[in-house]
Amino acid sequence: MIKEVIRTKMRRLRRDLTSEQVREYSKIIQYKLESRKAFKEAETIMLYISFAKEPETLPIIEKILSEGKKVVVPVSNLSTNTIIPTYINGVDELIPGAYGILEPTIIRAVNPMDIDLVVIPGIAFDMHRNRLGFGMGYYDKFLATTEAARIALCYDFQVVDDLPTNELDIPMDLILTEKGEI
């Protein structure tokens, strides 16, 4: 029950952001991400496709592709509540898919062990680098299959002191916000 209260509050706070705030905060978060060693050294980077005022990732994806690195995005398998990591060659390959989130038109599945860095969204995070998602377990199931570094992007208001967790929850290596990092 507490998780649903947190989800509801965070969705409302994110929904209340203006388009200008989303752009401004996203640029700051993008700069922080791009300055990280794990990002600079990664050859294959998996990123979420931003949705519903999440920190924007399309500019990051375009930059990575322009540098000749490999980009992987998640495709939701609704029957198993799992992620199919899929290569893309450009953002023009993306169309609305599951949950209205952009997904590639062609599935080019990637071995999760070939991914160097996973950039992850969430509803809320805590000071122990725990993540609260939408409650379906997509990312926790996926993260259990890879040894890639895990960096989460969120807004500062999405970070709380403590979140309820269980043995299936996988903590982040780093959480970046417009105001700091954990």
Side-chain angles (χ1 to χ4, degrees):
M1 182 64 181
I2 186 89
K3 287 183 177 183
E4 282 310 311
V5 170
I6 294 168
R7 285 185 182 105
T8 299
K9 177 183 177 184
M10 294 301 170
R11 280 192 203 112
R12 181 181 45 76
L13 290 171
R14 208 168 61 193
R15 193 174 41 245
D16 289 346
L17 289 171
T18 66
S19 297
E20 294 78 26
Q21 288 172 312
V22 170
R23 274 193 303 277
E24 177 187 337
Y25 298 163
S26 294
K27 285 180 186 176
I28 295 167
I29 293 167
Q30 178 179 351
Y31 175 79
K32 289 180 177 189
L33 175 64
E34 291 172 355
S35 69
R36 303 307 297 195
K37 181 179 178 183
F39 182 88
K40 290 178 183 178
E41 293 180 354
E43 289 298 317
T44 302
I45 303 172
M46 180 171 165
L47 297 100
Y48 68 93
I49 304 292
S50 48
F51 178 76
K53 295 190 177 178
E54 291 173 325
E56 296 173 344
T57 56
L58 290 178
I60 302 168
I61 290 170
E62 290 174 331
K63 181 167 190 217
I64 295 168
L65 289 169
S66 75
E67 294 174 352
K69 294 184 178 190
K70 295 176 184 171
V71 171
V72 176
V73 298
V75 173
S76 299
N77 182 331
L78 300 178
S79 63
T80 60
N81 288 349
T82 58
I83 288 173
I84 303 166
T86 304
Y87 284 117
I88 62 166
N89 295 316
V91 295
D92 57 327
E93 296 178 8
L94 304 172
I95 61 169
Y99 308 108
I101 300 169
L102 294 176
E103 293 183 347
T105 54
I106 299 169
I107 304 291
R108 290 186 291 269
V110 179
N111 180 336
M113 294 304 287
D114 292 338
I115 299 169
D116 301 311
L117 170 64
V118 182
V119 178
I120 304 163
I123 298 288
F125 299 87
D126 71 16
M127 299 305 288
H128 310 288
R129 298 187 315 274
N130 293 307
R131 172 184 171 275
L132 178 65
F134 285 93
M136 304 291 271
Y138 282 89
Y139 271 96
D140 288 319
K141 290 175 195 169
F142 174 75
L143 292 173
T145 69
T146 183
E147 295 176 3
R150 302 175 302 269
I151 299 179
L153 308 182
C154 68
Y155 303 111
D156 193 65
F157 64 78
Q158 291 177 270
V159 179
V160 298
D161 289 335
D162 286 294
L163 287 172
T165 60
N166 64 44
E167 66 281 351
L168 299 176
D169 293 328
I170 296 178
M172 304 296 97
D173 295 320
L174 178 67
I175 300 167
L176 298 174
T177 77
E178 77 280 9
K179 292 184 180 177
E181 63 183 59
I182 300 164

